[in-house]
Amino acid sequence: MIPNAIKNFIEHFRKIPGLGPRAATRLAFFISRLDTQTRSNLIESLKNLENLERCKRCFFIKEKEQELCEICSDSRRDSRIIAIVEKDTDILTLEKPREFRGTYLILGELSGRGILEESHKNRIEQLKRRIEGEPEGNIEEIILAVNPHALGDMLYEILKRDFKHLTSHITRLGRGLPTGGEIEFADEETLKNALRRRS
Ligand SMILES: [Zn+2]
C-alpha cells in the first residue's frame, strides 16, 4: 500500500532521536507533498551534511576543507583552557552565554552502561598526548563539563590522576546545574553561573 520510497525513508528516519516511526511517517508524507523546488532544497541541505567531518583536535563538527573547527582555529580563544563535554550540542549550549573563552574536547556520550568505553578512553589519551606535545607541556585548566549524572565523579578522579603532571587546575561545572539535568536543556543564566562557579 505504501510506496517503497516512503517505506525506505521511514526505515532510516525513524532511528533519528526524537522522531520515531510515527513522526518519520508524517515527515515522509509531508516531504512527498512539497513542491519540487522546496523538496530539492531540502534534499540539497541534507546532502551538504556529507561535507562534514570531525575536528582532529576537539572532535567538533567542521567542514572538510577546514583544517580545524571554527573554535580551535580562533586565535582569540584560549587553547590552554579545555572544557570536556559529551557531544556537539553541549558545545552549542555552552557557547550561548558567551562566557567561556577556552576550547573543548568532545568525549562522546556517557550514558548507557555506566562505564567508560574504549572510544572515551582514546579521546582522553589523545588529549593527554596533545597537551604533552604543547610547547610548555602543560595547560591552565581542564573543566569537566559533562552531565551531572553521567559518570562525572569517576571521570573527575581519572582526570585528577592522569593529568596531574599537565595541569594543577582540574575543575567541574558549578553546582548550579541540577543533578540529573542535561547541560543541553539548561538556560543561559544557569550555565553562566555554573561556569563562573566552577571549582
Ligand atoms: Zn576543534
Side-chain angles (χ1 to χ4, degrees), residues 11 86 90 132 134 169 184:
E11 190 50 36
E86 288 180 61
D90 290 338
E132 284 166 345
E134 301 271 323
H169 215 173
E184 198 173 347

Side-chain angles (χ1 to χ4, degrees), residues 86 155 172:
E86 288 180 61
L155 201 52
R172 302 175 72 167

Side-chain angles (χ1 to χ4, degrees), residues 55 57-60 68-69 71-72:
C55 174
R57 206 174 153 85
C58 72
F59 302 100
F60 191 44
L68 294 169
C69 74
I71 295 173
C72 287

Side-chain angles (χ1 to χ4, degrees), residues 52-55 60-64 66-69:
L52 298 173
E53 63 181 17
R54 301 236 154 239
C55 174
F60 191 44
I61 209 83
K62 69 168 187 67
E63 311 264 357
K64 269 186 188 156
Q66 289 177 305
E67 171 71 13
L68 294 169
C69 74

Side-chain angles (χ1 to χ4, degrees), residues 35 46 72 128 132 139-140 143 147 151 161 163 169:
D35 65 83
L46 200 58
C72 287
K128 202 155 93 180
E132 284 166 345
I139 51 159
E140 194 76 38
I143 304 161
N147 290 317
L151 294 174
R161 186 190 68 204
F163 285 74
H169 215 173

Side-chain angles (χ1 to χ4, degrees), residues 61 92 113 171 196:
I61 209 83
L92 300 183
R113 290 176 291 155
T171 60
R196 283 181 188 164

